[in-house]
Amino acid sequence: MDKMLSGKRILKFVIVTIVLILLMGMSIILGYTNTSIRLSYEAFTSFDGSNEHLIIQTVRLPRALIAASVGASLAIAGVYMQTLTKNPLASPGILGINAGASFAVVFVLSVFSVSSLSIFTWVSFLGAAIAALAVYFIGGVGRQGLTPMKITLAGAAITALFSSFTQGILVSNEAALDEVLFWLSGSIQGRKLEILVFVFPYLFLGWLLALIMTPMMNVMAMGDDVAKGLGLKVGLLKLTVGVIVILLAGGSVAVAGPIGFIGIVIPHIARSLIGTDHRWLVPFAGILGGVLLLAADIGARYIVMPQEVPVGVMTALIGTPYFIYIARKGFNKG
């Protein structure tokens, strides 16, 4: 029975990995500028400096790599958030990461007139980290320590706080609104490969820690008391999970802005397909997250061509119906 179950899981891994590779290829080929498989291949094997080759190398390849990396990171962060908080609707946004990063970017753009994407990357990453650490600190105050309910409430409070600050700045500075609105919608359009390279070490570290922590997360999913009884240091484990979420979600927001729903929806889909064992769930959710964001990005190119819809809007269109289903299911159980 165990061998049969493992065989089915491996097959599902192979299928979603093939889908991910195919979508990355489609992301490189498809778009407003007409290209083909052969032309894309020649762009890497016999580059001639043509407009098509330049677009493939400098625009579409970075978009494909960024979509796969960001989608995977947000999905894995969502798995860890839902396990930590015991909340099926939890996502990286519950820690205020999106709101903190957005506020940091809007603040430096409005006050210092910064327009460099590389500076945006560092500033948004810093804002995300500060917001997440603030939630972790506030949620840990009191006799009971860091409970799922307290960290959820602290995250909601920090999110509301930073969102209010952001809206206040944008209302008083229309120039900042025009420049940052597309980023606030969540987008990978126009992002250069250098930005991903800049943040990738943090994402990779987050992936590595997430994979290492999977056996302990299986124990953590059974409850704090069980975890303590089995000798796990629950406080240190929760702190490590917070670091993983900061690295993955903060790095993703730094690269692509606040993209929603992937961290909520993908963990549930992954559990229904692969089970609740985090040793399988975490990598599977990562691949599935990359698949969703790649599909959303490809679709965003065709909705209002030649213009593009921000990929954050596309993920919302895809994720909202499933989000409503999860919410109704949870409400009915309650």
Side-chain angles (χ1 to χ4, degrees), residues 31 33 63 71 73 109 111 115 127 129 181 210 233 237 250 283 304 314 333:
T33 301
R63 286 183 72 162
S73 299
L109 191 150
V111 176
S115 59
L181 187 59
K233 298 180 179 179
L237 183 60
V304 290
M314 288 299 297
K333 283 183 178 180

Side-chain angles (χ1 to χ4, degrees), residues 280-304:
W280 293 89
L281 176 61
V282 168
F284 189 82
I287 298 172
L288 210 57
V291 166
L292 176 59
L293 192 53
L294 280 165
D297 182 50
I298 293 171
R301 305 175 192 182
Y302 290 93
I303 298 296
V304 290

Side-chain angles (χ1 to χ4, degrees), residues 125-197:
F125 188 81
L126 178 63
I130 291 173
L133 289 173
V135 170
Y136 216 87
F137 175 76
I138 295 172
V141 173
R143 295 181 181 178
Q144 296 178 335
L146 193 66
T147 64
M149 179 60 71
K150 287 173 66 178
I151 196 173
T152 302
L153 293 175
I158 292 296
T159 298
L161 179 67
F162 278 118
S163 296
S164 298
F165 288 163
T166 301
Q167 292 171 9
I169 292 175
L170 293 178
V171 166
S172 60
N173 191 332
E174 294 184 2
L177 174 62
D178 293 337
E179 292 186 48
V180 83
L181 187 59
F182 199 78
W183 183 88
L184 286 173
S185 300
S187 175
I188 58 177
Q189 180 184 2
R191 300 295 193 268
K192 297 180 180 179
L193 190 59
E194 289 79 2
I195 298 176
L196 177 62
V197 172

Side-chain angles (χ1 to χ4, degrees), residues 2-319:
D2 290 339
K3 290 183 178 179
M4 184 180 297
L5 183 60
S6 296
K8 290 182 179 180
R9 284 171 170 171
I10 292 172
L11 178 60
K12 291 175 182 178
F13 259 100
V14 171
I15 292 173
V16 295
T17 301
I18 292 173
V19 173
L20 178 70
I21 295 171
L22 289 175
L23 285 173
M24 290 185 71
M26 292 172 64
S27 180
I28 294 173
I29 295 169
L30 301 177
Y32 179 70
T33 301
N34 188 30
T35 58
S36 63
I37 297 176
R38 180 178 178 181
L39 191 63
S40 300
Y41 176 76
E42 291 174 349
F44 299 104
T45 59
S46 54
F47 181 75
D48 61 10
S50 65
N51 184 55
E52 290 81 5
H53 283 189
L54 283 171
I55 289 174
I56 290 169
Q57 280 202 11
T58 62
V59 177
R60 292 186 182 170
L61 177 62
R63 286 183 72 162
L65 294 175
I66 289 172
S69 300
V70 169
S73 299
L74 291 174
I76 293 173
V79 170
Y80 271 78
M81 280 301 305
Q82 290 175 12
T83 301
L84 177 67
T85 63
K86 308 296 190 296
N87 183 349
L89 300 181
S91 70
I94 204 70
L95 280 181
I97 288 176
N98 288 2
S102 300
F103 169 73
V105 170
V106 172
F107 179 79
V108 298
L109 191 150
S110 178
V111 176
F112 301 105
S113 300
V114 174
S115 59
S116 170
L117 281 176
S118 62
I119 295 178
F120 278 0
T121 300
W122 281 111
V123 168
S124 60
F125 188 81
L126 178 63
I130 291 173
L133 289 173
V135 170
Y136 216 87
F137 175 76
I138 295 172
V141 173
R143 295 181 181 178
Q144 296 178 335
L146 193 66
T147 64
M149 179 60 71
K150 287 173 66 178
I151 196 173
T152 302
L153 293 175
I158 292 296
T159 298
L161 179 67
F162 278 118
S163 296
S164 298
F165 288 163
T166 301
Q167 292 171 9
I169 292 175
L170 293 178
V171 166
S172 60
N173 191 332
E174 294 184 2
L177 174 62
D178 293 337
E179 292 186 48
V180 83
L181 187 59
F182 199 78
W183 183 88
L184 286 173
S185 300
S187 175
I188 58 177
Q189 180 184 2
R191 300 295 193 268
K192 297 180 180 179
L193 190 59
E194 289 79 2
I195 298 176
L196 177 62
V197 172
F198 216 50
V199 178
F200 188 79
Y202 300 98
L203 298 181
F204 182 78
L205 179 58
W207 298 342
L208 186 61
L209 288 174
L211 291 174
I212 292 173
M213 295 287 292
T214 53
M216 287 170 277
M217 293 307 293
N218 284 337
V219 179
M220 188 71 180
M222 293 186 286
D224 290 2
D225 293 337
V226 174
K228 290 177 181 178
L230 292 174
L232 289 183
K233 298 180 179 179
V234 175
L236 180 61
L237 183 60
K238 290 181 178 180
L239 180 61
T240 305
V241 171
V243 171
I244 291 172
V245 172
I246 291 170
L247 289 171
L248 295 180
S252 298
V253 172
V255 175
I259 297 176
F261 291 97
I262 291 178
I264 298 176
V265 171
I266 291 299
H268 290 278
I269 298 176
R271 287 189 192 96
S272 67
L273 293 174
I274 208 74
T276 57
D277 186 341
H278 284 74
R279 293 173 297 179
W280 293 89
L281 176 61
V282 168
F284 189 82
I287 298 172
L288 210 57
V291 166
L292 176 59
L293 192 53
L294 280 165
D297 182 50
I298 293 171
R301 305 175 192 182
Y302 290 93
I303 298 296
V304 290
M305 188 179 280
Q307 301 298 318
E308 289 194 23
V309 175
V311 72
V313 176
M314 288 299 297
T315 57
L317 291 174
I318 296 171

